[in-house]
Amino acid sequence: MIGYYVHHHGSGHLHRAVAVASQLGLPVTGLSSLERPADWHGDWVKLAWDTGDRTAADVTAGGRLHWAPIRHDGLRSRMAQVSAWIARSRPELMVCDVSVEVTVLARLHGIPVVGVVLPGDRGDAAHTLGFDVCAELVAMWPTEADGMVQRLRPADASRLRCLGGLSRFPVRPTQPRRAGRKRVTVLLGAGGDAPDARGWESARAQTPDWDWTVLGREMGSWTEHPYEAVCDADVVVTHAGQNAIAEVAAARRPAVVIPSARPHDEQIATAAVLREPQWPALVEMTFPLMGWSRRLDEVAAFDPAGWERWTDGRAAGRFCDVVRDAVTTRPAQTA
């Protein structure tokens, strides 16, 4: 039995978990505050929410954790649920994507942990603790994407397995632009912080030769399956979330990338790497108010074949290999 902890912010962690669990070939139980997804085939433990208390005290335990507020009923219930599941199911391993607190809790129960490393500044004491207790560390970008993590200790960097961008959708062969009116698809994601409707209406007004499809929960046009709209676009405008970039790369579409504000500068770090000329993306660190016609024409001319090095369609399989190896590995005895 494998446990797979899924962080509740946004939708990328959940999409990644479903893709990995569906290929693993081992029983997997998901643990998350999110609802069980329809395409999840194993058991699912719906965890109590531990958020929402802005008056909580000592939430970082003196800087060693990220969220462990004192006397918080939700946190207490959540951790008790994880412990009870471990005692009941006796898992061989826990995948944690991502929580230092759940990582440490699982390891305190004697369960090895495969930890997912996210982009950004991960040199704080809490991340260091989490990395220390993990049996394996994996990242969802290619080795060529140098600079995705800042302040990662050399020892952790040397054992970090960069698996490539993991898309829940299949890789599409690179194709030339089709005839007809030009199309742009906007991916706003599920994590908030997107420009409001007026910004997109202004961009649309500046580009009368382009047809726009804007996908985002705040815009009332959210879809769980945006791949068709992405593949149909001449240019994709997207935030810099890991899954969004992986799926744009899988569709082999050139992109305008506008990072959203996230903890630890996660998307800013990704956007900085995507500025390298090998990637078919134009990075704008803030939402541009003007110049959309020139911008879209410029990006449409990029060669999307550059995404082949970011997402090759095999990242989920490599993730599964890491998990299977960690299950069968028995650590050496220590005195």
Side-chain angles (χ1 to χ4, degrees), residues 125-257:
H127 276 107
T128 298
L129 172 61
F131 298 156
D132 278 343
V133 304
C134 281
E136 298 283 354
L137 298 174
V138 298
M140 300 299 109
W141 57 79
T143 55
E144 297 94 331
D146 187 41
M148 291 287 282
V149 188
Q150 287 78 53
R151 295 201 300 143
L152 190 65
R153 296 173 302 174
D156 294 327
S158 66
R159 65 192 185 102
L160 179 63
R161 302 194 187 193
C162 297
L163 307 180
L166 195 159
S167 170
R168 59 189 160 140
F169 302 119
V171 167
R172 191 178 78 146
T174 302
Q175 299 176 358
R177 291 177 57 198
R178 49 175 175 63
R181 283 182 59 83
K182 296 174 289 188
R183 297 174 183 265
V184 56
T185 294
V186 179
L187 298 177
L188 300 183
D193 301 326
D196 61 23
R198 290 173 296 179
W200 298 113
E201 286 304 317
S202 174
R204 192 193 305 264
Q206 296 171 45
T207 54
D209 296 333
W210 289 76
D211 291 331
W212 286 69
T213 299
V214 180
L215 303 177
R217 284 179 177 163
E218 300 299 321
M219 304 290 288
S221 56
W222 177 253
T223 174
E224 293 289 344
H225 301 286
Y227 195 55
E228 182 177 348
V230 171
C231 290
D232 192 44
D234 294 285
V235 173
V236 179
V237 180
T238 179
H239 58 95
Q242 285 190 281
N243 280 55
I245 297 301
E247 290 169 6
V248 171
R252 304 294 192 248
R253 307 318 302 150
V256 177
V257 178

Side-chain angles (χ1 to χ4, degrees), residues 53-88:
D53 186 354
R54 297 183 179 276
T55 64
D58 191 17
V59 300
T60 68
R64 294 302 292 170
L65 300 171
H66 286 143
W67 183 253
I70 295 293
R71 302 184 187 93
H72 191 288
D73 289 340
L75 177 69
R76 186 182 303 113
S77 297
R78 180 187 192 83
M79 292 305 181
Q81 286 178 279
V82 176
S83 291
W85 177 80
I86 290 174
R88 181 173 66 251

